[in-house]
Amino acid sequence: VVAGGPKIRIDLSSPVAAYRQIVDAIRVLLVDEAIRPGSDLPSVRQLAIELGVHFNTVGEAYRQLAEEGWLDLRHGRGARVILRGAPAAASPERLDEFRVRMRNMVAEMRAGGISAAKIAGELRALMEVLR
Amino acid sequence: MKTLAWMLTGAAILEAGMMMALPYLSPRQMFFGVRAGAEFRGSPSGRKVLAQYWGHVFGWLVVALALLLGVGGLPAQVAGWLAMLPIVGALIGFVQAYFRVRPHALASDEVREAELAASDSGMPWWSWLALPPFVGPVVAMLYMRAHWDEIPARIAAHFAINGEPDRWVERTERTVFAPPVVCRSDVAAVAAAGGGGAGRAHDGVCACGAGVGISPELGPERADGGNTGRVPDVGRNLQQPERSEAGRVRVHDQFWECVELRSAGRVHARGDRAGGVYGVGDAGVGGPRHERAGRSARATNARV
């Protein structure tokens, strides 16, 4: 048993779907290189039990990460982090999609009483971490 | 009869041992069918529950052995039932342990955390010892299949209290193979109780972070198509939005009590139940259980 690995956290009361929270949390760890290529992730069954969610929820999250090129899913071997090549430049449509999401989030933060300067600082700090 | 008694004694001991190992034959999070966390079984409370369960099974084993070996002249059928006592006792003990562990069950917190490291399934290496009770009947069935012609045409199907057969059946695949299957169904049921339930009670709320239940499917496609705006790849049955403006669309005439619209495995829109105004694009809500890729979209009830 490997212990002391990075942890992910999901909030089931969040309006964000559980599978998306799992995808986002794992992606952050991958980008941050907290999980390196060659590492094995927990099996779908194991992670579903740990988080108390349906197997399909974790399965969907893994499939999405595999589609993004982060994971290699092979039957009977679980999920393995693979070396991801440099992603192609985002298409204008994809960039637009990101922009909409970011704008919604920034608007939500502003509505929540966070100043523009604070938001900008948070984004800069985040970029430093994920660089 | 003495040989039978000894054989049944061995069977009773084997069954008792298997039933004692039962609490370990489940993921670490589970203990006696309760999601109590991986640490609970090693805690004083967990050890106490386990000791009580083992004592229970052991007590029934002692009773079974005392009756099997101490009382002479028992009919074969009675002796056979006595050999089953450890299983019966274990079932009772399991239920008792379940109710003892239940107060220690992890609260169904909305915020959950998991370590992202591959590990084994939580089963001890000696889990394979649980296989013989299941493999044994299969081997017996294969043996009987290989020696089919040696099986009598009439088989005793029931025994009277004096051990004499009082009902016979013809030799058919059902009459020959059904008993081995049925005789282990009790163990399979207990094993399912011990390891099952891992995903219990979560199905309704977890696949979609915000959803409880599934509302009716969205209405049919508008004849005029409407302005699909920025909603891509909308499934055939997804109601078309009436108009779009600056990344937001209003769904035509009906305000569905939903937070998401999905089709083809993607979230296309989300909104609130009050205004019926939906953001478009990958809204980031919903879960895979609501998909029927390429055929329809569904709305998920909002929990407000």
Side-chain angles (χ1 to χ4, degrees), chain B residues 50-76:
Chain B
L50 188 62
Q52 287 171 330
Y53 171 75
W54 281 350
H56 197 91
V57 178
F58 185 75
W60 282 84
L61 174 64
V62 169
V63 170
L65 296 185
L67 291 173
L68 277 171
L69 301 175
V71 180
L74 283 174

Side-chain angles (χ1 to χ4, degrees), chain B residues 97-189:
Chain B
Y98 168 82
F99 285 106
R100 290 189 185 113
V101 176
R102 207 165 64 162
H104 302 278
L106 293 178
S108 57
D109 294 332
E110 296 293 288
V111 178
R112 299 175 183 179
E113 202 173 67
E115 196 170 282
L116 210 61
S119 66
D120 56 35
S121 63
M123 299 284 198
W125 63 268
W126 44 264
S127 299
W128 64 269
L129 288 173
L131 287 177
F134 298 98
V135 175
V138 174
V139 173
M141 290 164 73
L142 292 173
Y143 182 85
M144 288 189 289
R145 166 54 67 191
H147 298 78
W148 184 259
D149 294 337
E150 299 172 32
I151 300 174
R154 288 176 70 232
I155 306 167
H158 192 267
F159 294 82
I161 194 69
N162 60 3
E164 293 298 319
D166 60 359
R167 192 157 60 85
W168 299 80
V169 293
E170 299 298 319
R171 181 188 63 186
T172 64
E173 289 190 345
R174 188 173 66 85
T175 57
V176 170
F177 294 130
V181 173
V182 173
C183 79
R184 287 297 79 161
S185 60
D186 54 347
V187 181

Side-chain angles (χ1 to χ4, degrees), chain B residues 237-300:
Chain B
N237 294 332
L238 176 64
Q239 182 145 347
Q240 300 299 311
E242 189 174 46
R243 67 174 189 269
S244 73
E245 47 184 274
R248 299 178 76 83
V249 294
R250 181 180 295 276
V251 174
H252 174 62
D253 67 22
Q254 295 185 52
F255 297 139
W256 295 87
E257 293 185 353
C258 67
V259 293
E260 69 174 48
L261 303 176
R262 294 182 68 91
S263 69
R266 294 191 60 190
V267 177
H268 295 298
R270 65 175 295 195
D272 58 46
R273 61 190 296 174
V277 177
Y278 296 82
V280 297
D282 192 354
V285 296
R289 70 177 290 140
H290 305 301
E291 291 175 12
R292 288 210 310 187
R295 288 185 288 126
S296 67
R298 291 188 170 206
T300 306

Side-chain angles (χ1 to χ4, degrees), chain A residues 6 8 10 12 17 46 51-52, chain B residues 110 112-114 116 119 202 209 286:
Chain A
I8 61 169
I10 62 171
L12 297 179
Q46 187 187 343
L51 293 174
Chain B
E110 296 293 288
R112 299 175 183 179
E113 202 173 67
L116 210 61
S119 66
H202 297 306

